Amino acid sequence: FSQLPSGPAIYALFGGKERLHAAYVGIAGNLRSRIKQHLVNRDSSVTTGASPVSLNPELIIEVRWWEHPAFADRVRLEAAELVAFDVLEPTLRSRGSVSDAVCALQTDAAFYSAMRLLVSADPSGRLVIPTLQDALDRIERLEERVRALEARLESWREQV
């Protein structure tokens, strides 16, 4: 998690096996703390079951985030999140009530276009979350390498 920035950002939590999909899109004033809250502490409202539908952190395999200087302003950050909902079409959305200022900015054509372009482009960063299956596959590959090394060592002992 150390590679996650501690500033404001829009983020998406992705899941899926054959095809990645946005499971959740949210915003954070401190991205590192927010992702840790979701995936490590598991005490965010969307992971604790406080809402009718919840997020299973075990199924999240990637985090992507987008940063922009305008996100220092909370209204701009919240309005950009609404644009991200349109672009990423997440299964779960974080936003409940939206202020008039956020609605007004989100409907501004120039702002909407700029934020749509931002979220449609490559993210500012990506964090791949290793799954249990990834770990098991890696252990299996390591065991195969150890067996091969042991066989070579045994062959070398027989020659000596």
Side-chain angles (χ1 to χ4, degrees):
F1 289 93
S2 62
Q3 66 181 286
L4 291 167
S6 58
I10 295 171
Y11 63 91
L13 305 177
F14 285 84
K17 291 189 180 192
E18 284 81 42
R19 186 180 74 81
L20 281 181
H21 67 277
Y24 181 79
V25 168
I27 56 172
N30 181 324
L31 181 64
R32 185 180 308 144
S33 292
R34 186 65 172 150
I35 298 303
K36 188 175 178 184
Q37 185 181 23
H38 286 315
L39 302 181
V40 177
N41 302 342
R42 299 175 183 207
D43 60 0
S44 66
S45 61
V46 74
T47 59
T48 60
S51 55
V53 181
S54 63
L55 178 75
N56 183 347
E58 298 293 328
L59 300 177
I60 300 304
I61 60 173
E62 188 173 318
V63 179
R64 295 180 191 170
W65 65 90
W66 293 263
E67 298 170 282
H68 192 279
F71 295 167
D73 176 70
R74 186 70 185 190
V75 170
R76 291 183 179 281
L77 180 60
E78 289 182 18
E81 179 188 35
L82 297 178
V83 177
F85 292 159
D86 291 346
V87 174
L88 299 171
E89 299 178 342
T91 304
L92 297 170
R93 300 170 183 222
S94 69
R95 194 70 20 226
S97 61
V98 179
S99 72
D100 291 340
V102 170
C103 283
L105 185 57
Q106 189 257 344
T107 57
D108 177 80
F111 178 84
Y112 188 91
S113 178
M115 292 301 110
R116 185 173 184 83
L117 188 61
L118 176 74
V119 178
S120 297
D122 287 338
S124 302
R126 221 181 222 116
L127 175 66
V128 176
I129 311 290
T131 64
L132 177 58
Q133 188 60 52
D134 293 334
L136 293 173
D137 292 345
R138 188 170 182 194
I139 290 168
E140 184 178 344
R141 289 191 304 273
L142 287 171
E143 287 175 338
E144 289 171 5
R145 291 176 65 193
V146 168
R147 280 193 295 274
L149 287 170
E150 287 173 337
R152 287 176 62 191
L153 181 59
E154 187 60 34
S155 174
W156 177 78
R157 284 184 183 156
E158 290 173 0
Q159 293 174 5
V160 174

